[in-house]
Amino acid sequence: QVQLVESGGGLVQAGGSLRLSCTASRSIDSRNTMAWYRHTPGKQRELVASVSSDDATNYSDSVKGRFTISRDNAKNTVYLQMNSLKPEDTAIYTCNAKWFALSSKYDSNYWGQGVQVTVSS
């Protein structure tokens, strides 16, 4: 079982910044995509950003230009730098890790516990 340990959530004023970290207990340096999702009560979970092991990134339109996802394969860690935070960014942010096997039936998918991010106005 792979463990994902998240940190960096908290309370920040609008316009401020936070950096989330997620460290995996398994190597992420190949055939892997790391991502951050968020959700609030009553809303569907939203993909915030993802980064593949070849450094291809993808962002939700709502965070483009404000958030940056990056990875440090040597530390098995993915980061989400969140700048210019808005009250509507308030959510539980959860780390996700996928490893892709040569046969898709052996793909694996793991989730962290989630961290609370609260942006006050």
Side-chain angles (χ1 to χ4, degrees):
Q1 184 74 4
V2 174
Q3 305 296 322
L4 300 177
V5 179
E6 300 141 320
S7 62
L11 172 65
V12 65
Q13 288 190 330
S17 298
L18 283 174
R19 189 175 83 153
L20 305 182
S21 300
C22 171
T23 299
S25 60
R26 170 182 172 182
S27 174
I28 66 169
D29 67 356
S30 66
R31 305 185 68 85
N32 164 268
T33 294
M34 302 294 291
W36 288 96
Y37 287 77
R38 68 185 181 187
H39 75 276
T40 55
K43 287 189 175 181
Q44 197 167 359
R45 184 165 57 192
E46 173 190 21
L47 173 64
V48 177
S50 66
V51 58
S52 66
S53 47
D54 59 0
D55 286 326
T57 57
N58 180 50
Y59 294 93
S60 164
D61 286 344
S62 61
V63 307
K64 276 181 186 173
R66 299 188 298 121
F67 291 10
T68 302
I69 191 168
S70 61
R71 57 194 289 148
D72 184 337
N73 290 340
K75 296 181 179 180
N76 297 331
T77 299
V78 64
Y79 304 98
L80 184 68
Q81 178 66 43
M82 305 184 293
N83 298 328
S84 302
L85 282 160
K86 305 175 181 180
E88 51 264 42
D89 294 318
T90 295
I92 296 172
Y93 286 70
T94 306
C95 179
N96 172 259
K98 295 184 179 69
W99 281 268
F100 302 97
L102 293 177
S103 171
S104 62
K105 68 179 180 180
Y106 297 114
D107 291 351
S108 54
N109 187 39
Y110 298 93
W111 295 91
Q113 294 291 323
V115 292
Q116 177 69 47
V117 170
T118 302
V119 184
S120 63
S121 57

